[in-house]
Amino acid sequence: MNVSPTVWLLTVAGLCVLVAADFFIGRKPHDVSIREAGIWTAVWVVLAALFGVGLLVFGGGGPGGEFFAGYITEKSLSVDNLFVFVLIMAKFAVPSQYQQRVLMVGVLVALVLRAGFIAAGAAIISAFSWVFYVFGAFLIWTAWKLIQDARKGGHDEEYEENKLLKSIERRFGVADRYHGTKLWIEENGRRVMTPMLVVMLAIGMTDVLFALDSIPAIYGLTQDPYIVFTANAFALMGLRQLYFLIGGLLKRLVHLSYGLSVILGFIGVKLVLHALHESGVHVPEIGIPFSLGFIVLVLAVTTATSLWAARKQEREQEDRQEERQEQGQPRGPGV
């Protein structure tokens, strides 16, 4: 797409207005209800769909299809990232009424970081066509790593602070309890961080790692920076509400990592084929309609098998519990 600076400016301004509105709505710390989370999740999804339809109308089927493929992929990766957010919240015992503030700041950090990654990726791609080989190999390796982590039950592990975060904590000190939404306090004549700031730093550092996976993935579906940026933005906005909406369902999505590994592996192969094609090798390229259909099919199958497996596991646990109860009952007379 040939996007003018004016369209870029209007798009960024519109997204800033949406982010500001989201911040204004959630500015007061409170426990987010399922109803509230569901309504706002639907609002963000509808806004993304309307934007995609707008691309279809004004840009054509190609850009519109690329946006929806990128949006669905980024949204799916974001859902998988929520597992880590849950672990971080549990690690730092974030009070429920403050969790939305942490996630809100995390989304803002992610938007800024990904904008930088997207700009860097666009510059690298325009200068070095061989970078598609690197992106493709990286995604295939990431897909394999996801499978290995899923087999080991990676989402069941406890979050561990990295060395950088630990060094920051030692340098500035951390208060022993939360002080509302304050990030810094005076303690014994010294200015120290609150646990709220530490959690936000943990979320932000995690977002950097997430971007390393997601940016190459979406560049495998489209090389248009405008579509890459908007798909990422719409996928991230509403992530806070989605956290509260499906927080209880995350443990039921037991096959999500497998599905994402298939998608990342597929995009990795697509990137390698594209790189070969750019190098003059006559190989088939995978089109956006097929990519979009494949991604949706994999996510649908993954969700269905996850819910089936979770339900089966629950029934087995119920059966074992009933057996233990029956074995513990005293025998009746005449038995």
Side-chain angles (χ1 to χ4, degrees):
M1 290 180 61
N2 186 17
V3 181
S4 67
T6 302
V7 174
W8 265 105
L9 183 61
L10 291 174
T11 302
V12 173
L15 292 174
C16 287
V17 170
L18 292 175
V19 170
D22 189 36
F23 186 85
F24 178 80
I25 293 168
R27 70 190 186 282
K28 184 178 180 181
H30 66 282
D31 291 324
V32 179
S33 65
I34 296 296
R35 181 176 181 273
E36 177 185 348
I39 290 174
W40 284 107
T41 297
V43 167
W44 288 117
V45 172
V46 170
L47 288 174
L50 290 175
F51 183 85
V53 171
L55 284 180
L56 284 171
V57 173
F58 296 102
E66 290 176 359
F67 172 81
F68 281 114
Y71 171 74
I72 293 172
T73 300
E74 294 297 318
K75 199 70 172 179
S76 304
L77 290 170
S78 297
V79 171
D80 190 54
N81 297 343
L82 290 181
F83 282 102
V84 181
F85 289 168
V86 169
L87 296 179
I88 292 175
M89 296 291 188
K91 170 70 175 183
F92 295 101
V94 181
S96 58
Q97 66 269 28
Y98 300 140
Q99 289 183 4
Q100 67 161 342
R101 177 63 61 87
V102 173
L103 292 169
M104 189 181 301
V105 173
V107 169
L108 290 175
V109 171
L111 281 171
V112 174
L113 290 174
R114 295 197 186 194
F117 278 113
I118 290 167
I124 293 173
I125 288 172
S126 62
F128 309 103
S129 60
W130 52 261
V131 77
F132 287 112
Y133 289 110
V134 179
F135 281 0
F138 177 75
L139 289 180
I140 293 172
W141 175 80
T142 303
W144 173 251
K145 189 173 181 296
L146 267 178
I147 293 177
Q148 297 302 311
D149 290 342
R151 289 178 175 176
K152 296 176 182 176
H155 289 315
D156 296 330
E157 298 175 0
E158 183 180 350
Y159 171 79
E160 294 186 5
E161 302 166 61
N162 56 48
K163 293 181 180 180
L164 177 58
L165 184 58
K166 289 181 178 179
S167 66
I168 293 174
E169 292 179 31
R170 288 193 299 268
R171 170 66 179 82
F172 295 100
V174 183
D176 58 354
R177 63 183 178 86
Y178 286 87
H179 294 263
T181 57
K182 292 181 179 179
L183 305 181
W184 297 89
I185 64 165
E186 294 285 340
E187 191 175 79
N188 298 325
R190 181 190 178 194
R191 188 175 174 82
V192 299
M193 300 188 302
T194 65
M196 176 69 73
L197 179 55
V198 177
V199 176
M200 290 179 178
L201 290 175
I203 294 287
M205 292 177 181
T206 305
D207 284 332
V208 175
L209 299 178
F210 291 162
L212 294 177
D213 293 340
S214 64
I215 299 304
I218 194 169
Y219 267 119
L221 298 169
T222 176
Q223 283 83 59
D224 191 318
Y226 182 78
I227 297 176
V228 172
F229 174 72
T230 52
N232 264 276
F234 278 106
L236 287 173
M237 290 191 300
L239 186 61
R240 173 172 63 89
Q241 293 86 352
L242 191 63
Y243 171 87
F244 295 102
L245 180 64
I246 68 172
L249 296 176
L250 284 176
K251 292 184 177 180
R252 298 174 66 90
L253 300 177
V254 293
H255 295 159
L256 179 60
S257 292
Y258 293 103
L260 290 176
S261 67
V262 172
I263 292 173
L264 291 179
F266 167 77
I267 297 175
V269 172
K270 185 177 184 296
L271 275 170
V272 172
L273 291 175
H274 178 73
L276 290 171
H277 182 79
E278 291 292 313
S279 300
V281 180
H282 297 289
V283 293
E285 285 204 86
I286 303 173
I288 285 298
F290 181 84
S291 299
L292 179 58
F294 181 83
I295 292 169
V296 171
L297 178 62
V298 170
L299 290 175
V301 172
T302 299
T303 302
T305 58
S306 293
L307 296 177
W308 177 81
R311 181 54 186 162
K312 181 181 178 182
Q313 185 178 9
E314 290 175 358
R315 286 199 300 266
E316 291 175 351
Q317 291 176 350
E318 291 173 358
D319 292 340
R320 286 195 296 268
Q321 186 176 1
E322 290 178 358
E323 290 178 1
R324 286 195 297 267
Q325 290 176 348
E326 292 176 356
Q327 292 174 358
Q329 291 178 353
R331 296 186 178 186
V335 178

